[in-house]
Amino acid sequence: MKIFAVGMNYILHNKELDGTLYKPEEPVIFTKADSALLKNGKPFFVPDWAARVDYEAEVVVRINRLGKSIPERFAHRYYDAVTVGIDFTARDWQQRARQKGHPWTICKGFDGSAVIGKWVEMTEIDDVQRLHFRLDKDGETVQQGCTADMLYSVDSLIAYISRFFTLKTGDLLFTGTPPGVGPVTENNHLQGWLWNGDSKSAETKVLDFWCK
């Protein structure tokens, strides 16, 4: 099982990080170790080696078949479910890595850094590019996003990644985070919701866990 993730896929998040609006020339892809996966509501243990760890809520896609060099027009056949996940980031380590041109392996791929919620089957989704999602921390909404605002769509990301990696059943794709990222501390309670289109009344809580 491989965990792929996309950096800087929402333009307002890019401004949040770097103070300017921009679109990367190509998708910014990185991977997380399989030991990064955290599911079933298990607690996230804030690492003591990082000065600041940030939540980054995003839509996660589950790959459901083997594929290589997938044309974008067929990419929708290669995933069968979505959820809300959190790409935890050791922000101080990331800042140092970016300054030195180093990989993001530690700051993004450490144990427990890829949290996923309950899966929602694609049969229940109207349009993967019209999904709304939000993250609450201790009962207050801290992030809200819509996949319509992604710089690179889900299907284009699958087509791009599969040029370089063979996708396999069970692989995961974290699709990028909107603005509003921020730090977590011990005893924070995080909850994530997902809903179709503009009908917030149909929102489903798919993510619920504590930081320890």
Side-chain angles (χ1 to χ4, degrees):
M1 186 270 292
K2 301 184 292 297
I3 303 173
F4 297 99
V6 185
M8 299 177 284
N9 202 28
Y10 286 80
I11 198 166
L12 291 179
H13 174 58
N14 298 346
K15 183 176 182 180
E16 179 178 60
L17 285 181
D18 296 327
T20 185
L21 300 171
Y22 65 94
K23 178 179 180 178
E25 293 182 3
E26 295 179 326
V28 177
I29 306 298
F30 58 94
T31 60
K32 289 173 173 273
D34 57 2
S35 61
L37 186 63
L38 189 66
K39 56 185 180 178
N40 301 326
K42 293 181 179 178
F44 169 71
F45 290 91
V46 182
D48 58 8
W49 46 260
R52 171 171 168 158
V53 175
D54 282 2
Y55 56 79
E56 295 189 7
E58 40 201 275
V59 169
V60 183
V61 173
R62 183 177 70 191
I63 301 299
N64 69 331
R65 60 193 296 187
L66 185 72
K68 172 70 175 176
S69 299
I70 302 164
E72 185 174 341
R73 67 184 182 276
F74 297 136
H76 66 280
R77 302 177 181 178
Y78 287 81
Y79 53 95
D80 64 353
V82 296
T83 190
V84 174
I86 296 183
D87 165 25
F88 276 117
T89 304
R91 191 67 71 196
D92 53 320
W93 283 68
Q94 185 191 37
Q95 289 172 345
R96 291 199 299 269
R98 294 182 72 186
Q99 290 169 359
K100 297 178 180 179
H102 290 175
W104 293 2
T105 307
I106 293 176
C107 67
K108 288 284 194 177
F110 61 90
D111 288 354
S113 63
V115 183
I116 59 170
K118 296 181 295 185
W119 293 109
V120 177
E121 301 296 322
M122 287 304 299
T123 54
E124 301 179 42
I125 302 299
D126 296 333
D127 184 348
V128 74
Q129 293 304 149
R130 289 189 62 227
L131 280 175
H132 291 259
F133 60 104
R134 68 181 173 92
L135 178 71
D136 288 3
K137 183 174 78 168
D138 298 334
E140 295 187 7
T141 299
V142 290
Q143 274 191 286
Q144 295 189 78
C146 178
T147 54
D149 297 327
M150 291 167 58
L151 297 174
Y152 292 98
S153 69
V154 171
D155 289 357
S156 68
L157 291 169
I158 287 174
Y160 181 81
I161 292 169
S162 69
R163 289 171 56 194
F164 312 101
F165 301 92
T166 298
L167 298 181
K168 296 184 178 181
T169 300
D171 287 349
L172 305 179
L173 172 59
F174 283 68
T175 60
T177 194
V181 303
V184 292
T185 58
E186 293 180 8
N187 299 318
N188 282 158
H189 184 201
L190 299 180
Q191 298 174 301
W193 278 262
L194 185 71
W195 65 96
N196 276 304
D198 299 321
S199 179
K200 192 172 180 179
S201 62
E203 66 181 6
T204 300
K205 184 169 70 173
V206 294
L207 188 68
D208 193 336
F209 69 101
W210 291 81
C211 297
K212 298 293 185 179

